[in-house]
Amino acid sequence: MPGANRRDTREKQLLNHATDKEQRPFPGTSNHARNLSQSEKKLQEAICVLLVELCERFTFFGIVCNMILFCTVKLGYRNYQAAIVNMCFVGTSMLTPVLAGWLAECLVGRIKLVCICMFLHLLGTALLPVVAFPFEDIYFDRRHILHTLTKREQKTVFYFALLTASLGIGGIRAIVCPLSAYNLEDCGPKELLSFFNWFYWLINLNSAVVFVSISYIQQSVARNLGFLIPFVSVLMAMITIHMVRGEMIYKPKTDSSLLTTFGVIASAMKMCCVRYRYFGGGRTNWLDHAKENYGGQYSEIQVESTKSLARLFPLFAFQILYRTCVMQIPSGYYLQTMNSDLHFSGFVLPVAAMNVISIVPLLILVPILECINLCLFSSKDTGHSPTIYVVVGQLSAALSVVIAGFSEIHRKHFPQVERTFSEEVLLVSSMPCFHLAPQYILLGVAEALVTPSCSLLSFRLVPERIRGISMHFLTLFNGAGCFMGAFFVQTAHAGSQG
């Protein structure tokens, strides 16, 4: 126990190192100079956090962008199996930050967990080039080398690489790049919406670069060795974290936890069942049964915080359906594009480059939405415009999936032609891939409207002490949407008998 206490004390000292340095006055230094240095320091920290965030996202998109093509052409998967693998990886990458946040709070120290997750992320991205390395006969200086890995061994290493990479992603997103790192506590609704708009704008600009560059390299130039690019990106993120680790290991300011929230819900449900069975129904909110004065075991503050969070559950539930639609871009839409004619003026487009069509509307709409927010909505507006954006975006996503269904029926009326993907000849439809552009555009519009607005509502409409928990719940439901999409693919394949 004394050893554990000393370890916790050292970790707290390192976590508060940056704060101590900011609060320590220097002799002979004016308040203006100190404030200026603190502002510059915060700006440097924000830039470093954003750089790590972009490097991590660059790695993530680099893995996802051509995973289906790699699974079908190199590993011999069928189309629906490749789509399920891709969606499960994306869903796992969304859920692991929640797991990492819980581990950091309850079991493992934050600094130790960051080191473990960086190692796992590096290991996963290092194993992917090993799996992707050409498995044909290779010649070096007249020496003949034959790769001896079997398909089963390839798949085992591939799954292990995806699992370790997704676990590493969780630690970096939860501990190094949480929203608390951007100091949003004192921002109003308009400032928060502006932050989320431009934050996701930068992330999508990053993904556009990935889908154009890495997808082209992996498909046409270096093929499988393109997986080395995510590995290099992880190295850059690790170097940045190591250089400023004292300022980038953030501890959230909260007196609640995800386990406490689940405990309040479970206790309330249990007490509700008991009271309804023996005493009949009551008029109080069902979560009030978890309070100590109602026979529960949680305080007034904990229950009231959970009640404010429970009001957002309808919004979170709709996120499952919305995320299921959005996950069609790297799965169903990708397969549609791969089975269409990608030739354009004598040039073969990379399959994943079509994803840029869904990113362009977001890059265009964000500046327009910013102008609308400045002109039409007052500084005291607390949520009407985000709600409108969410509704319109949800409808746009649903319409995109409907159009995708008609596009698939239309595509099958075209005769098949032979096309080469990664040195493999496949039979595809002769329908030009640009016929699929409307469904990509509609999903891009949905992303521009829904994602920043949902983040704002989840962050703003709850007390400050549980804002991190609210964002965790949003992440959980988004991850559930990814797995729901994989379930739909499996169900559709089984129901239609292939």
Side-chain angles (χ1 to χ4, degrees):
M1 291 298 295
N5 293 333
R6 286 196 299 270
R7 182 189 63 191
D8 293 341
T9 302
R10 289 196 301 269
E11 183 168 312
K12 289 179 181 178
Q13 290 174 352
L14 183 55
L15 287 171
N16 296 324
H17 176 64
T19 305
D20 292 340
K21 288 193 297 182
E22 288 181 4
Q23 295 177 349
R24 188 183 303 123
F26 293 94
T29 305
S30 64
N31 292 331
H32 176 73
R34 285 200 299 270
N35 292 333
L36 184 62
S37 63
Q38 291 179 9
S39 300
E40 291 176 352
K41 187 175 183 61
K42 290 182 179 179
L43 178 62
Q44 291 174 359
E45 292 175 8
I47 291 175
C48 289
V49 171
L50 188 60
L51 176 62
V52 173
E53 183 98 39
L54 293 178
C55 287
E56 183 274 318
R57 300 278 180 165
F58 191 91
T59 304
F60 174 75
F61 291 128
I63 296 173
V64 170
C65 69
N66 271 335
M67 187 187 296
I68 288 183
L69 183 63
F70 175 77
C71 289
T72 53
V73 173
K74 293 300 179 183
L75 298 183
Y77 284 2
R78 300 178 66 182
N79 285 342
Y80 81 96
Q81 293 173 325
I84 290 174
V85 170
N86 201 14
M87 284 188 282
C88 288
F89 172 72
V90 176
T92 305
S93 300
M94 287 186 175
L95 295 181
T96 49
V98 180
L99 174 63
W102 174 73
L103 288 174
E105 294 299 326
C106 301
L107 298 179
V108 185
R110 303 180 73 82
I111 297 175
K112 184 184 296 184
L113 187 62
V114 167
C115 296
I116 294 172
C117 289
M118 285 194 300
F119 170 75
L120 290 175
H121 204 7
L122 186 67
L123 177 62
T125 53
L127 287 176
L128 284 174
V130 174
V131 181
F133 198 74
F135 288 91
E136 298 81 17
D137 295 352
I138 306 171
Y139 293 87
F140 290 108
D141 299 331
R142 299 181 181 179
R143 289 178 297 166
H144 176 263
I145 300 176
L146 180 64
H147 220 297
T148 57
L149 283 181
T150 63
K151 284 290 183 183
R152 183 175 181 179
E153 291 171 338
Q154 291 179 49
K155 294 176 181 179
T156 301
V157 177
F158 180 64
Y159 285 134
F160 181 75
L162 293 182
L163 179 61
T164 53
S166 62
L167 290 174
I169 287 171
I172 294 176
R173 290 184 184 179
I175 302 174
V176 180
C177 304
L179 286 177
S180 58
Y182 296 97
N183 298 317
L184 304 176
E185 288 77 11
D186 299 327
C187 296
K190 289 184 67 175
E191 291 79 7
L192 280 174
L193 183 58
S194 179
F195 167 81
F196 286 119
N197 277 330
W198 288 112
F199 178 75
Y200 289 113
W201 186 88
L202 278 174
I203 289 177
N204 280 273
L205 179 63
N206 187 16
S207 65
V209 174
V210 172
F211 287 128
V212 172
S213 59
I214 295 185
S215 62
Y216 176 73
I217 292 172
Q218 289 180 345
Q219 183 175 320
S220 304
V221 180
R223 293 188 295 278
N224 303 322
L225 294 181
F227 278 106
L228 282 172
I229 298 176
F231 175 71
V232 175
S233 179
V234 170
L235 282 179
M236 290 180 58
M238 289 182 63
I239 292 171
T240 306
I241 294 173
H242 178 72
M243 290 173 61
V244 285
R245 62 186 181 276
E247 288 78 17
M248 295 186 67
I249 310 298
Y250 290 91
K251 187 174 179 60
K253 300 175 182 179
T254 177
D255 57 359
S256 184
S257 68
L258 200 62
L259 290 179
T260 302
T261 305
F262 282 123
V264 170
I265 296 174
S267 176
M269 293 177 66
K270 179 181 178 181
M271 294 300 297
C272 278
C273 293
V274 172
R275 286 180 177 272
Y276 184 82
R277 182 175 180 181
Y278 293 104
F279 304 104
R283 294 185 177 181
T284 59
N285 187 295
W286 66 278
L287 285 172
D288 287 333
H289 294 288
K291 293 180 180 179
E292 293 174 340
N293 55 350
Y294 278 85
Q297 53 183 340
Y298 293 94
S299 65
E300 180 91 10
I301 295 177
Q302 291 172 329
V303 175
E304 290 299 322
S305 298
T306 306
K307 287 169 64 175
S308 65
L309 184 62
R311 287 193 288 267
L312 293 177
F313 279 3
L315 173 69
F316 296 156
F318 273 105
Q319 280 299 103
I320 296 179
L321 296 176
Y322 170 73
R323 191 55 54 183
T324 302
C325 296
V326 171
M327 282 307 299
Q328 298 305 311
I329 292 180
S331 57
Y333 291 7
Y334 188 99
L335 289 171
Q336 279 185 299
T337 306
M338 194 174 75
N339 286 278
S340 303
D341 191 0
L342 290 162
H343 282 71
F344 177 72
S345 300
F347 179 76
V348 180
L349 294 173
V351 183
M354 283 291 292
N355 291 14
V356 179
I357 297 178
S358 67
I359 299 173
V360 170
L362 189 144
L363 299 180
I364 296 174
L365 277 176
V366 165
I368 297 175
L369 293 176
E370 280 296 296
C371 294
I372 293 175
N373 292 334
L374 290 174
C375 298
L376 298 183
F377 299 104
S378 66
S379 59
K380 297 181 180 180
D381 187 10
T382 58
H384 297 294
S385 57
T387 305
I388 296 172
Y389 293 160
V390 170
V391 173
V392 176
Q394 296 273 8
L395 293 176
S396 178
L399 182 60
S400 172
V401 177
V402 172
I403 292 177
F406 286 108
S407 299
E408 183 65 10
I409 296 173
H410 177 65
R411 183 184 66 81
K412 291 183 178 180
H413 290 305
F414 284 79
Q416 290 187 327
V417 294
E418 290 185 350
R419 292 291 181 257
T420 302
F421 295 97
S422 297
E423 297 184 343
E424 295 287 336
V425 179
L426 302 177
L427 284 175
V428 301
S429 172
S430 58
M431 184 190 80
C433 61
F434 292 107
H435 287 199
L436 305 173
Q439 64 199 51
Y440 279 99
I441 292 173
L442 285 171
L443 267 190
V445 172
E447 272 288 85
L449 296 175
V450 174
T451 303
S453 301
C454 280
S455 298
L456 169 65
L457 293 175
S458 303
F459 190 83
R460 183 69 183 176
L461 299 182
V462 294
E464 182 179 343
R465 60 182 172 272
I466 63 165
R467 283 176 175 174
I469 308 301
S470 177
M471 298 305 291
H472 278 325
F473 268 94
L474 179 62
T475 302
L476 285 173
F477 280 85
N478 283 333
C482 298
F483 287 103
M484 182 67 72
F487 174 75
F488 283 161
V489 170
Q490 179 63 44
T491 303
H493 180 268
S496 62
Q497 298 180 352

